[in-house]
Amino acid sequence: MKPFFTKLVVLCFWLTIWQLISVLIHNPLILVGPIEIVLNLTKISLTKLFWLSIANTMLRIMLGFVTAFLVAFIISIASCMSSYFKLFIEPIIQLIKIVPVTSFILLVIVFLAKVYITSFIVFLMVLPIFYFNIVGGIRSVDRNLLELATIYKFSWAKRVKHIYLHSLKPYVVIAIKAGLGFSWKAGLTAEILALPRMSIGYELNNAKIYLDTLNLFSWTVVVVLLSLLFEYLIMWLLGKEVRHD
């Protein structure tokens, strides 16, 4: 419990500094304090729009995130099994990796409906992260273990479960941690530019247009909390799975 309380004390310290600075500035257009943000969040959380915006954004981001993982898993296996497929697919993955997210959004905004843009952009931005980590995990498999599996005549199912999956786990954990944070950033950027109604990005854009600093900070806090919550839940599930093994 000691590390938890230490972090809590540090958090309270910086929140206090933040509140004091906002009081000294005394200009809600420039900076609002955490107390005002909590009060505002309490007020807007009583509205239906608040929860619909959160639900829509979460579903779109998670859809793109999960789809990217599944597609990356399939093409990573194919790349490790076939050098020709690897030669064909990796330039595309590298191109996706280096092109700025804003460029992709501006390109697809012409062809896709607003409600699909967030998921598609998250899918594109997270795909290279999953691909290169999964490929690295497969290539890191100990060849001595594979030779032992051949000697003891392990089935493919046993090889996958006891050798490949154990080698992949640390790489997948790293990819998920990196991908979650990036998916929220890319997803919110897509929403702010595409402006699908009843979304967090739409509310952030409205706050910017009307110089509503309080709502801008409030929705930003919501995004940070949701991102941390999803990362914690997924890491907890992965840790639970490891302990069960």
Side-chain angles (χ1 to χ4, degrees):
M1 295 295 291
K2 188 177 179 180
F4 171 78
F5 283 112
T6 302
K7 290 179 181 178
L8 185 62
V9 169
V10 172
L11 177 63
C12 290
F13 170 79
W14 286 114
L15 288 175
T16 304
I17 296 296
W18 177 6
Q19 183 65 41
L20 289 173
I21 293 172
S22 71
V23 170
L24 289 172
I25 293 175
H26 194 58
N27 188 341
L29 283 176
I30 298 175
L31 184 68
V32 291
I35 294 175
E36 290 82 4
I37 291 171
V38 170
L39 292 174
N40 187 55
L41 282 174
T42 303
K43 183 179 73 173
I44 64 176
S45 65
L46 300 175
T47 64
K48 184 179 179 181
L49 179 63
F50 177 81
W51 296 107
L52 281 175
S53 299
I54 289 176
N56 287 335
T57 297
M58 278 172 39
L59 286 173
R60 290 167 188 152
I61 290 175
M62 287 301 108
L63 177 62
F65 185 82
V66 172
T67 306
F69 177 79
L70 295 175
V71 172
F73 196 81
I74 293 168
I75 63 176
S76 298
I77 293 172
S79 291
C80 292
M81 292 179 67
S82 170
S83 58
Y84 293 106
F85 182 81
K86 176 179 177 293
L87 190 65
F88 168 77
I89 200 70
E90 280 207 353
I92 300 173
I93 303 295
Q94 287 284 5
L95 181 64
I96 294 171
K97 182 181 177 182
I98 62 176
V99 173
V101 60
T102 311
S103 299
F104 272 124
I105 296 168
L106 295 175
L107 286 170
V108 302
I109 204 169
V110 181
F111 305 104
L112 288 179
K114 292 180 179 181
V115 293
Y116 303 123
I117 290 174
T118 303
S119 298
F120 185 69
I121 292 300
V122 170
F123 167 79
L124 284 179
M125 294 299 103
V126 179
L127 183 67
I129 297 173
F130 281 131
Y131 173 80
F132 288 113
N133 276 279
I134 293 172
V135 168
I138 294 172
R139 289 175 179 168
S140 71
V141 172
D142 192 339
R143 300 299 168 188
N144 293 326
L145 291 176
L146 293 176
E147 289 178 8
L148 284 173
T150 303
I151 293 170
Y152 288 103
K153 297 180 180 179
F154 273 28
S155 65
W156 269 107
K158 279 189 175 182
R159 290 188 185 201
V160 169
K161 181 179 179 182
H162 297 291
I163 299 176
Y164 284 101
L165 287 183
H166 276 282
S167 295
L168 273 173
K169 274 177 184 175
Y171 289 86
V172 170
V173 168
I174 291 170
I176 287 175
K177 290 188 76 172
L180 271 174
F182 200 62
S183 63
W184 279 94
K185 292 177 184 178
L188 265 296
T189 304
E191 284 191 347
I192 290 169
L193 291 176
L195 296 177
R197 290 189 175 275
M198 288 189 292
S199 66
I200 295 176
Y202 187 83
E203 296 301 321
L204 284 169
N205 187 70
N206 280 345
K208 179 199 73 173
I209 291 172
Y210 295 109
L211 299 177
D212 190 350
T213 308
L214 181 57
N215 267 331
L216 185 62
F217 271 87
S218 299
W219 282 106
T220 303
V221 168
V222 169
V223 172
V224 171
L225 292 176
L226 287 173
S227 180
L228 291 174
L229 177 63
F230 270 93
E231 182 178 338
Y232 174 79
L233 286 175
I234 292 178
M235 291 301 109
W236 177 76
L237 289 172
L238 287 172
K240 191 174 180 182
E241 183 183 341
V242 171
R243 287 194 296 270
H244 284 172
D245 289 345

